[in-house]
Amino acid sequence: MSGLRALLFDPLRTLFFPPHCAGCGHAIPDGEVLCATCQSGIEKIRPPRCEVCSQPYPGDLPVFTCPNCHGDPFHFENAIAVVRSRGIVREMIHRLKYNKELWLGRILADWMHEGLSDSRLRHWTPEALVPVPLHPRRLREREFNQAEILCRELSRLSGIPVKSALARRRYTTTQTLLDRRGRRQNLRDAFIPVKNGDVTNMNLLLVDDVLTTGSTLDACAATLLESGAASVRALTAARG
Ligand SMILES: [Zn+2]
Ligand SMILES: [Zn+2]
């Protein structure tokens, strides 16, 4: 059994959290996940925030759509995140992706589970969780797709099934130097529906680790809508 498989299927690893803070490693009482210090460093996203992309907004407007979402709408109706990708949260996502600490997916999925109670999802029921796919080359390098790990943990908590409806076919160049239009152009046609992945008339919740610009989730949502999905929303473990 490879190291990764052992990590994934070790029952002790998946049934219990280690008795140390998931953030800093300090000893914590049984049943706790984070120490008080790490807990206090987590930045929760609370209104007022953009109704579409969850960007927090200083002020007291009750309902607000940020200029980004206003001018050039996304294909998803909104993207929910409960915490900011800062400090300890950012480190945990990094450790999950690059250190293969897959057990952290459980903690991140707890925040996503909290996100399912967001008021913006009140009159909408997702029928499946769709992970944002990795390109096969990156999947080979990393050995797993963090969005799939998060989907699986969130499915366990919520009972919503996972539907891997998308594949990534182009190895896109890095997005960081591109503007919004450039990013969209770069990602156009990067995602395709998988065979036997029928999403006709389904309400779908796209899942990824972090929302930064929203371009990746937007491209995925566009493909799902072209494939006949009724509606697409997004949920990420954190927001940049
Ligand atoms: Zn800690
Ligand atoms: Zn916005």
Side-chain angles (χ1 to χ4, degrees):
M1 194 182 256
S2 75
L4 183 63
R5 279 183 69 84
L7 194 63
L8 271 171
F9 298 110
D10 176 358
L12 289 176
R13 195 76 176 184
T14 51
L15 281 175
F16 304 106
F17 291 116
H20 298 285
C21 172
C24 67
H26 283 136
I28 46 169
D30 249 4
E32 300 277 311
V33 174
L34 292 167
C35 73
T37 310
C38 287
Q39 193 73 50
S40 68
I42 289 166
E43 219 178 303
K44 289 253 176 158
I45 297 172
R46 296 197 172 85
R49 38 104 184 98
C50 173
E51 284 296 295
V52 178
C53 73
S54 300
Q55 173 70 43
Y57 181 77
D60 52 10
L61 290 172
V63 177
F64 166 74
T65 305
C66 79
N68 242 350
C69 295
H70 223 60
D72 193 3
F74 289 113
H75 288 87
F76 51 79
E77 287 172 41
N78 41 46
I80 313 287
V82 167
V83 295
R84 295 308 298 266
S85 177
R86 305 260 164 87
I88 210 78
V89 173
R90 193 175 171 156
E91 281 170 29
M92 282 163 60
I93 292 172
H94 201 271
R95 283 161 54 202
L96 165 71
K97 281 163 78 169
Y98 304 112
N99 276 4
K100 298 189 172 71
E101 292 189 61
L102 304 189
W103 63 280
L104 290 171
R106 299 203 108 187
I107 298 164
L108 300 171
D110 270 341
W111 287 317
M112 302 177 86
H113 192 223
E114 200 180 318
L116 289 178
S117 313
D118 190 286
S119 59
R120 290 168 290 174
L121 300 180
R122 197 170 291 153
H123 302 292
W124 185 84
T125 309
E127 293 166 271
L129 307 171
V130 179
V132 168
L134 284 183
H135 188 276
R137 194 195 304 170
R138 184 154 293 163
L139 187 61
R140 272 198 303 278
E141 288 162 6
R142 193 173 292 168
E143 300 179 39
F144 64 94
N145 175 358
Q146 69 278 3
E148 271 172 26
I149 303 284
L150 294 170
C151 272
R152 196 175 56 202
E153 295 295 345
L154 183 60
S155 177
R156 193 181 52 76
L157 292 168
S158 65
I160 305 167
V162 181
K163 193 173 182 75
S164 297
L166 294 172
R168 193 163 190 152
R169 68 172 166 190
R170 276 200 302 120
Y171 200 75
T172 42
T173 51
T174 181
Q175 295 275 94
T176 39
L177 295 174
L178 300 168
D179 63 7
R180 188 177 168 93
R181 179 183 282 186
R183 285 194 300 270
R184 288 198 173 183
Q185 192 72 39
N186 189 33
L187 282 169
R188 187 168 296 162
D189 304 325
F191 299 98
I192 49 168
V194 297
K195 288 194 185 87
N196 308 318
D198 187 23
V199 294
T200 312
N201 295 325
M202 289 182 80
N203 295 324
L204 301 170
L205 189 62
L206 267 169
V207 169
D208 206 0
D209 51 345
V210 184
L211 177 139
T212 42
T213 64
S215 302
T216 302
L217 290 166
D218 180 65
C220 288
T223 301
L224 291 170
L225 290 172
E226 278 165 24
S227 306
S231 65
V232 181
R233 298 181 184 219
L235 177 63
T236 57
R239 196 202 190 288

